[in-house]
Amino acid sequence: MNPLQKWQQKRLFSPFVLKLLIIMFVVEFVKGALLLTILPVYMKTTLGASAFIIGWTLAAQYIGDNVLRTPVGWIIDKMGYRTTMLTGVLLTFISVILIATTSQYLWTIIACALLGFGTAPLWPCVITGTTEVAGDEAKGTIMSVIYMAWLSGVGLGPVAINFFINDNNYSLAFRLLIGCMTLVVLVALLLPRKQSAEDPKIDKVGGKAHETYIPFFQRAAAYFREVRRSMSVSPLLFPAMFAQTFALGILTPILTLYAKEVLQLTSFQFSMFLIAGGAVTVILLVPMGKLVDRIGIRPFLIAGFSISAVTLLFFTFVQSLTILYVLVAALGVGYAFIIPSWNALLASAIPPEKRGAVWGFFLTIEGLGMIVGPIVSGKLWDVYGYHAPFLMSGSVLVVLLVLQMFISIGKKGVVR
């Protein structure tokens, strides 16, 4: 390893980046444990909520998270990482305490909305901070590391929390989650303050400088106009961002349904089903990220979209359980190609001086795909049967495979 590579690796795993990754892992651990394991059963059995109420409770979290991502990006650019992230984790902390102590599902819905507001700064802060440190030379690698932290937290939280739940008694589980959030608050306090700020508009009056007052909304509007002018991206990138998460969102609500109702897998088989895909993705992410940085973005996008599309188009027509496990592993390989290359593509489109706001804007577009995807998926399942969602998801990836060919990738960014 030459001195330049050693220096870059040292930057990638600097204390600042490690703090962001710790926060990412622990918050996603708590969020996954709450949303996937605790709340659906806890609200049904302990609080007596209907499935409709439970659905809206979980939706409140995701909507709150998504709508704030763009303004959060602007706040990062103006106020820095510590203030932004600390505000978010404190709101998340309060939401966990509310869920643990309330016996009314109305307050649980409010707590989930707070959870959404609290986690909104997470992705913009982590992606903005880590890509700023990584620079253009290592954006694929750093994206792989971010997604490893995310997938590890999301995957481990729902599984580990089961060991702290005894006969529908959630007190030990809630104490663990509160302890986790205490750790996150302490780590957020150690994040650096904002290094610099834009100079205010100054007038010289009588030899003294005074700050001219500019209304908040006027300053925000001017800022986003600057962001738009500073971005040189293909207009095809925006529908592609939506389509990429839409294809994933289609799969989110029906994978469990397909495994339980159609394949009739046992709990152990279903766990192996998830591990076959998820573990492969996590293991391959960092090597794929390094290869993206070394070879380039395009080959991995083509390979990832091709493998994933073919897998999904044939997935529900296979009867052998062994072959299904192979297909799930292949899907994991496909997304191990897609995640670092796709996010490196997005990172290359972002001007460094407006990194926070643009990442927030991009994440908002991607979040819309994750909201619309599950809604469309459920309708397809009900009307056309279990084949339809998988065929739709695979077809969208085929469209993306073609679409990305028309998004030119330059050395310094994404251009027409």
Side-chain angles (χ1 to χ4, degrees):
M1 185 181 292
N2 61 45
L4 177 61
Q5 289 175 322
K6 289 181 179 179
W7 178 74
Q8 286 177 341
Q9 186 175 31
K10 185 177 180 182
R11 284 198 308 156
L12 285 182
F13 297 98
S14 65
F16 171 59
V17 171
L18 290 176
K19 289 167 193 170
L20 290 176
L21 294 175
I22 290 169
I23 293 171
M24 167 70 83
F25 171 80
V26 178
V27 170
E28 291 295 348
F29 178 96
V30 170
K31 186 176 169 182
L34 278 174
L35 299 183
L36 299 179
T37 299
I38 292 179
L39 278 176
V41 179
Y42 176 72
M43 291 187 70
K44 184 81 172 176
T45 58
T46 305
L47 304 184
S50 66
F52 179 74
I53 294 295
I54 295 171
W56 269 106
T57 302
L58 301 184
Q61 185 278 327
Y62 200 83
I63 292 169
D65 184 355
N66 196 53
V67 298
L68 284 183
R69 281 184 175 180
T70 295
V72 161
W74 180 75
I75 292 168
I76 294 169
D77 286 336
K78 290 297 181 182
M79 302 181 66
Y81 297 102
R82 183 193 296 182
T83 301
T84 308
M85 187 70 93
L86 187 58
T87 302
V89 297
L90 285 173
L91 287 175
T92 305
F93 199 174
I94 293 168
S95 74
V96 174
I97 293 172
L98 269 177
I99 293 170
T101 56
T102 187
S103 58
Q104 297 179 349
Y105 55 73
L106 177 62
W107 280 106
T108 306
I109 295 174
I110 293 170
C112 274
L114 274 180
L115 180 63
F117 296 147
T119 55
L122 184 65
W123 276 92
C125 272
V126 173
I127 291 184
T128 302
T130 52
T131 54
E132 186 176 8
V133 170
D136 291 336
E137 300 82 8
K139 50 183 177 285
T141 302
I142 200 64
M143 284 298 175
S144 299
V145 173
I146 292 169
Y147 272 83
M148 275 190 67
W150 171 64
L151 285 170
S152 300
V154 167
L156 188 59
V159 175
I161 203 67
N162 281 306
F163 295 103
F164 297 85
I165 301 171
N166 299 312
D167 299 324
N168 289 328
N169 186 338
Y170 294 87
S171 58
L172 186 59
F174 283 131
R175 282 201 290 271
L176 171 67
L177 298 184
I178 289 171
C180 288
M181 288 311 304
T182 302
L183 171 65
V184 168
V185 170
L186 293 175
V187 175
L189 283 169
L190 298 176
L191 289 174
R193 296 181 185 274
K194 181 158 179 68
Q195 298 289 324
S196 61
E198 293 184 7
D199 293 331
K201 188 176 180 181
I202 300 289
D203 284 340
K204 296 288 184 180
V205 180
K208 297 180 180 180
H210 80 279
E211 185 175 328
T212 301
Y213 173 74
I214 303 174
F216 171 80
F217 290 108
Q218 185 178 335
R219 283 186 283 123
Y223 182 83
F224 284 110
R225 282 196 297 271
E226 290 177 24
V227 168
R228 181 64 191 92
R229 283 196 297 269
S230 63
M231 287 179 5
S232 176
V233 298
S234 166
L236 294 175
L237 186 64
F238 300 109
M241 280 191 284
F242 174 84
Q244 194 269 140
T245 51
F246 176 72
L248 187 60
I250 289 173
L251 298 177
T252 304
I254 52 93
L255 273 178
T256 304
L257 203 59
Y258 180 72
K260 295 291 185 180
E261 292 191 2
V262 179
L263 299 180
Q264 297 183 336
L265 300 182
T266 65
S267 296
F268 176 76
Q269 287 174 324
F270 182 55
S271 297
M272 293 299 101
F273 192 73
L274 294 177
I275 290 171
V280 168
T281 304
V282 170
I283 290 169
L284 291 178
L285 272 177
V286 171
M288 288 302 104
K290 290 182 177 179
L291 287 173
V292 168
D293 291 330
R294 185 178 303 172
I295 299 172
I297 293 169
R298 184 82 71 192
F300 293 91
L301 283 178
I302 294 171
F305 286 137
S306 300
I307 293 169
S308 301
V310 170
T311 302
L312 289 170
L313 290 173
F314 287 98
F315 193 81
T316 54
F317 297 97
V318 173
Q319 301 299 321
S320 167
L321 195 58
T322 301
I323 297 177
L324 276 173
Y325 279 120
V326 172
L327 288 178
V328 170
L331 190 62
V333 171
Y335 269 92
F337 278 78
I338 291 170
I339 287 171
S341 56
W342 180 256
N343 285 284
L345 173 69
L346 297 186
S348 69
I350 294 176
E353 68 277 5
K354 299 291 185 294
R355 200 183 299 270
V358 180
W359 262 123
F361 177 62
F362 281 6
L363 289 168
T364 300
I365 295 173
E366 291 195 321
L368 291 174
M370 289 299 294
I371 291 173
V372 178
I375 297 170
V376 173
S377 176
K379 192 68 174 176
L380 288 172
W381 180 288
D382 290 338
V383 176
Y384 300 105
Y386 64 85
H387 291 294
F390 292 91
L391 292 174
M392 172 65 82
S393 183
S395 300
V396 171
L397 291 179
V398 171
V399 172
L400 267 173
L401 176 62
V402 176
L403 195 62
Q404 60 87 27
M405 298 286 192
F406 296 93
I407 301 174
S408 61
I409 305 170
K411 293 181 178 180
K412 294 185 180 179
V414 180
V415 296
R416 292 193 184 191

